[in-house]
Amino acid sequence: MKVYLAGPEVFIPEARAVLDEKIELTRAHGFVPVCPGDLEAPASLKGKARGLATSEVNEKLMLSADFIIANLTPFRGIAADVGTVYELGFMCGRGCPAYAFTNIATGHYERVLDYYGGDLRTDETGAVRGPDGLELETYDMVDNLMLDGGIENRKGVIVRHNAAPDRLYSDLTGFKQCLTIAARQLLA
Amino acid sequence: MKVYLAGPEVFIPEARAVLDEKIELTRAHGFVPVCPGDLEAPASLKGKARGLATSEVNEKLMLSADFIIANLTPFRGIAADVGTVYELGFMCGRGCPAYAFTNIATGHYERVLDYYGGDLRTDETGAVRGPDGLELETYDMVDNLMLDGGIENRKGVIVRHNAAPDRLYSDLTGFKQCLTIAARQLLA
């Protein structure tokens, strides 16, 4: 079985080393790894054309995979990396199993509470809102309910773990747990 | 043809009015609207169980739709709402056409540049990075390349428009343009 390895670690300086470690761990758990970047867009393409071609290559790689493990660690803000989330939705839309991990154990509710500096109010309908009026999901979830639901309703799990700040996108503790659980569920 | 209407306007106090306006516009353009919330999770469900049931309902609604129009206006930060992005990926994974709009015309590159206070550097490989070491996609795109690519590679468009700050999630100028383009492409 092939697994697509999604996550914002592609943006760190040590991306290649982390992806190589993920590939090795994936093989050790009995799966065939598929990574964004396994195929490269033609070097002749520049600018936006190169971005579009990279998207096409990554979608082709996803279509070759049987399930996904997504790194949902918050990225440049309080929510998961949207590129990774697109890929998670893409694989779920194909009906594939999904697993995820995050290196910030704090849940969605607490992160948004912190974003608003604790300034929440409940309106007359019972909805909890920030000072900007935006409603906040008060469920005990890792991120927006579509992410948690997409994964858990497919019998997957989201592993929460607190990584050291300098290992935020390279700590693979949660990734390894995902592999162990996926192997038990999918290779039985 | 049925269109799934995704976007963070479900979180504003005037959500119902905006959704009703979207529904009316959609019908006027010859499509059948499908909205998150068209079906409700059982009222007996509380907490996380309710969140998971809502995800299941929304996925069922997406499975009934033929294409998607997504509101990618940045939400609680510099990127699109991750719930909406999951839904965009989900529909693209099913092979459906996708259209989107954003009510902040500024592109991804400029928003991240601003996030870093202009503090970018180019490393020895040519990658542009923030002070935290995270690489920045320098393409002229609305958001992460998987979002722009998923839409444009399916012949869809992302309409950019600058809404008034108090109409950030209720201005439907871009939504209407998506409907016009979709009608031309899909109802011909």
Side-chain angles (χ1 to χ4, degrees), chain A residues 11 59 76 116 135 154, chain B residues 11 59 76 116 135 154:
Chain A
F11 296 114
E59 289 206 3
R76 287 186 188 133
Y116 287 130
E135 184 173 358
R154 286 176 175 75
Chain B
F11 296 115
E59 290 205 2
R76 286 187 188 134
Y116 287 131
E135 185 173 359
R154 285 176 177 76

Side-chain angles (χ1 to χ4, degrees), chain B residues 4 18-19 32 37 43 64 127-128 131 156 173 183:
Chain B
Y4 188 81
V18 175
L19 288 178
V32 177
S64 79
V128 177
T173 308

Side-chain angles (χ1 to χ4, degrees), chain B:
Chain B
M1 285 190 86
K2 288 189 178 179
V3 53
Y4 188 81
L5 307 178
E9 58 273 10
V10 296
F11 296 115
I12 69 174
E14 311 78 21
R16 190 63 261 163
V18 175
L19 288 178
D20 286 344
E21 199 184 340
K22 289 178 89 173
I23 287 169
E24 198 178 326
L25 286 166
T26 301
R27 291 205 177 112
H29 282 78
F31 296 113
V32 177
V34 179
C35 292
D38 277 353
L39 297 171
E40 285 247 346
S44 60
L45 291 173
K46 304 291 176 202
K48 187 174 172 182
R50 186 167 179 81
L52 294 177
T54 302
S55 154
E56 213 159 27
V57 162
N58 289 346
E59 290 205 2
K60 208 165 287 181
L61 290 169
M62 283 196 282
L63 291 174
S64 79
D66 301 295
F67 71 105
I68 185 170
I69 300 179
N71 179 352
L72 296 183
T73 304
F75 183 74
R76 286 187 188 134
I78 57 168
D81 164 49
V82 291
T84 302
V85 173
Y86 176 92
E87 295 173 334
L88 173 64
F90 190 98
M91 293 298 282
C92 289
R94 293 183 58 226
C96 298
Y99 302 83
F101 64 100
T102 173
N103 282 339
I104 291 183
T106 313
H108 173 68
Y109 176 82
E110 288 75 21
R111 295 199 308 275
V112 180
L113 180 71
D114 184 56
Y115 174 81
Y116 287 131
D119 187 10
L120 295 181
R121 70 281 325 263
T122 303
D123 74 12
E124 63 285 1
T125 70
V128 177
R129 300 182 182 279
D132 54 10
L134 296 176
E135 185 173 359
L136 164 53
E137 293 170 0
T138 56
Y139 313 125
D140 176 30
M141 288 190 166
V142 167
D143 212 312
N144 179 288
L145 68 86
M146 294 306 294
L147 282 59
D148 288 64
I151 293 162
E152 296 200 11
N153 287 335
R154 285 176 177 76
K155 313 289 177 212
V157 294
I158 313 184
V159 178
R160 299 189 195 200
H161 167 73
N162 268 324
D166 65 338
R167 300 267 299 155
L168 197 54
Y169 300 107
S170 57
D171 184 319
L172 297 179
T173 308
F175 176 69
K176 275 182 255 185
Q177 289 184 43
C178 286
L179 283 171
T180 303
I181 295 165
R184 201 162 56 215
Q185 292 186 341
L186 303 178
L187 297 178

